[in-house]
Amino acid sequence: MDFQTQVMAPGATAKLAADALLLVIVGDTLPATLDAPLATSVTEAIKQGDLALKPGKCTYLRQVPGVKAPRVVVAVAKDGSARAVQAAGAAGIAVVKGLGVKHLAVLVAGATTGAAQAEALATAAADAVYTYRTTKPSAAAAPLLAKLTLLAAKADAVAAATGLARGAAIAEGVTLARELANRPGNHCTPTLLAAEARKMARAQGLRIEVLDRRQLEALGMGSFLAVAQGSDEPPKFIVMHYQGAAKTVAPLVLVGKGITFDSGGISLKPGEGMDEMKFDMGGAASVVGTLRAVAQLKPKLNVIGVIAACENMPSGRALKPGDVVTSMSGQTIEVLNTDAEGRLILCDALTYVERFKPAAVVDIATLTGACVVALGAVHSGMFSPDDALAAELLAAGHAALDTCWRLPLDDAYDEGLKSNFADMANIGGRPGGAITAAMFLKRFTAKLRWAHLDIAATAWKSGAAKGATGRPVGLLTHWVMAQAK
Ligand code: BES
Ligand code: MN
Ligand code: ZN
């Protein structure tokens, strides 16, 4: 999708060549700045009962006198916040997206259109037009909507353009992450994930390496390989490099869980809903998407994206409960449940990234059902022993409208990971399951400034709207961009 800003002058709506005008009204009165013919029509619609100036309300007008665009959609926002403008924008876009609208102009009346509002509108538009068709070519054609022009007051135009550019980059990253995660497990194998990462890297001018089983063996990634051993699909370890600063500048590192299908392994999951475990590479998808967004925004810093990708399958060669594996760190792990596989692949990835001497490391994983229970689909779970890093991620989440919530990492939670047969067990019991999973990872991060995002509930939606969300590409992109200042 194309995004552009245009300075809003009085009478602009009479001249603006677009297929539709989306008017977002903030508050419960019509702003006096609205062009008179448009204001008259909206007032008339209110009088005739077609619209109320209440949050969430929306109406559709055709051939408004004095407005060049043949369609006008009016949507009401609760306030001028980016969140509210996004919600109203999304409602309005939903009305026009099925129509013959290629070029949509958007005007926010009654509030400033700053960077945050502009970004929120861009991501809402991209969200509305994304249609998954890769294995369903018969799906309704994607909406025609291909261009969005944001009208902004002269004083806001620079900020709006900046926000729109950021929103456009995030939207590309989110769309890529959604597309990868939506693909079924028989398509999106570790091999395909590596090929798609390569495609993205080539297009964006990033360096990429993909390590195969032999190289992982040489590195001593006994824990990652133990998960991979039950599957006929070969594991891939993907390393992408964005270089926006001198090589000597310590990089930010993102580590993604890339389980392309999680059957649970020998500790097999129940059948119901197991299909959704194709989304268990949502963390990996968000790393690819974030690197794409960052490559487009070109901040002056270095970012490395790392993905451990494999399937978790039962077979005659699969890992068994009670097996003890040796991680790349040298620590041994007793596998009490083969379904707690995410931490087994991430621990070796976390050890691997020590070599980059990172400024900070964030891992992103659909790690625990317990996190779904704890936080639902609103906030991603966030864990870090580092208060400053935690604050950065909370702030990035707010700025991106892609929030996270910090959960604790007290040593007392470590108790449950004790094992009589290895340095640790891979599970800690049901209570506080998201936290014990994070405590497990923490044992591999002594040399790192580290945070963990559990996106089990936020990476995809279930039910009728089943599909990947692309979260937390927005949060991660904002975090990276904030480090460049
Ligand atoms: N990928 C799952 C976590 C998950 C479950 C994400 C449901 C989203 C929805 C992970 O590999 C897993 O199976 N975790 C287990 C851990 C348990 C065995 C300690 C879980 O959460 O049940
Ligand atoms: Mn699992
Ligand atoms: Zn999993």
Side-chain angles (χ1 to χ4, degrees):
M1 220 173 152
D2 265 356
F3 297 95
Q4 61 172 50
T5 33
Q6 189 175 311
V7 173
M8 176 66 187
T13 54
K15 286 177 245 154
L16 188 83
D19 301 312
L21 171 68
L22 167 57
L23 173 65
V24 175
I25 297 178
V26 176
D28 52 13
T29 46
L30 266 197
T33 50
L34 220 51
D35 283 341
L38 182 56
T40 306
S41 290
V42 174
T43 306
E44 196 58 27
I46 295 171
K47 263 192 209 144
Q48 295 181 4
D50 292 357
L51 178 69
L53 292 183
K54 289 198 185 116
K57 296 291 181 193
C58 210
T59 198
Y60 178 69
L61 311 170
R62 275 195 60 82
Q63 314 289 6
V64 173
V67 175
K68 185 159 183 191
R71 309 169 183 87
V72 174
V73 177
V74 189
V76 185
K78 184 170 104 211
D79 53 46
S81 68
R83 179 74 83 181
V85 168
Q86 186 179 57
I93 292 165
V95 174
V96 293
K97 78 168 187 179
L99 310 179
V101 175
K102 287 187 198 134
H103 179 192
L104 177 69
V106 182
L107 171 63
V108 180
T112 44
T113 312
Q117 288 78 7
E119 179 184 323
L121 286 166
T123 50
D127 178 65
V129 299
Y130 172 73
T131 312
Y132 176 76
R133 310 192 54 163
T134 308
T135 51
K136 191 183 178 184
S138 66
L144 297 174
L145 186 57
K147 184 174 169 187
L148 187 152
T149 298
L150 182 60
L151 296 161
K154 198 158 186 210
D156 304 330
V158 173
T162 306
L164 213 51
R166 182 173 292 194
I170 290 172
E172 294 284 355
V174 164
T175 302
L176 176 57
R178 291 175 79 181
E179 176 60 28
L180 292 175
N182 279 334
R183 290 190 190 167
N186 63 329
H187 287 244
C188 186
T189 58
T191 303
L192 180 118
L193 205 50
E196 289 294 328
R198 224 185 258 288
K199 215 188 275 175
M200 183 283 291
R202 191 164 300 154
Q204 302 297 323
L206 307 187
R207 195 155 61 78
I208 180 168
E209 327 152 62
V210 178
L211 309 189
D212 62 16
R213 194 189 310 259
R214 229 175 5 89
Q215 292 164 294
L216 303 175
E217 277 163 7
L219 285 163
M221 291 199 185
S223 187
F224 175 30
L225 288 168
V227 175
Q229 80 192 23
S231 168
D232 290 339
E233 290 291 340
K236 300 288 172 190
F237 193 85
I238 306 163
V239 187
M240 297 163 281
H241 299 261
Y242 165 78
Q243 203 193 319
K247 282 210 173 78
T248 48
V249 175
L252 303 173
V253 175
L254 305 176
V255 176
K257 171 179 172 182
I259 295 289
T260 58
F261 187 72
D262 181 11
S263 70
I266 296 297
S267 311
L268 196 64
K269 286 182 180 294
E272 194 182 317
M274 204 205 270
D275 64 287
E276 295 190 5
M277 284 299 122
K278 73 174 185 178
F279 295 120
D280 210 17
M281 35 60 74
S286 77
V287 171
V288 179
T290 300
L291 265 100
R292 195 205 178 291
V294 168
Q296 188 165 328
L297 292 168
K298 299 189 173 52
K300 291 189 174 63
L301 43 69
N302 297 325
V303 185
I304 300 176
V306 172
I307 290 167
C310 70
E311 275 186 339
N312 185 23
M313 296 291 279
S315 80
R317 277 179 291 112
L319 188 62
K320 305 174 294 297
D323 286 0
V324 174
V325 301
T326 303
S327 67
M328 185 178 175
S329 72
Q331 299 177 90
T332 57
I333 304 162
E334 185 187 14
V335 180
L336 292 178
N337 190 320
T338 65
D339 197 11
E341 85 297 339
R343 59 199 81 180
L344 294 175
I345 72 171
L346 288 170
C347 68
D348 280 347
L350 288 167
T351 301
Y352 179 87
V353 304
E354 284 176 5
R355 69 188 54 212
F356 300 126
K357 306 213 165 25
V361 178
V362 179
D363 79 70
I364 309 99
T366 48
L367 204 64
T368 65
C371 195
V372 182
V373 174
L375 295 175
V378 177
H379 301 294
S380 300
M382 186 266 286
F383 303 81
S384 182
D386 187 305
D387 290 340
L389 180 55
E392 288 167 19
L393 292 166
L394 286 171
H398 277 291
L401 307 180
D402 181 4
T403 54
C404 61
W405 192 267
R406 191 179 185 186
L407 293 168
L409 280 175
D410 303 64
D411 286 337
Y413 288 106
D414 205 60
E415 283 299 303
L417 294 174
K418 284 190 177 145
S419 160
N420 290 345
F421 304 102
D423 294 329
M424 71 197 86
N426 78 326
I427 53 169
R430 275 173 65 83
I435 305 170
T436 50
M439 290 305 292
F440 177 95
L441 296 176
K442 184 167 175 278
R443 288 172 172 243
F444 299 85
T445 61
K447 296 183 185 137
L448 303 171
R449 182 169 178 254
W450 160 79
H452 158 59
L453 291 172
D454 192 333
I455 58 165
T458 52
W460 76 88
K461 292 178 186 166
S462 305
K466 192 188 287 184
T469 62
R471 288 179 71 180
V473 169
L475 183 163
L476 294 170
T477 305
H478 269 267
W479 176 67
V480 168
M481 296 307 290
Q483 308 313 302
K485 278 168 199 151

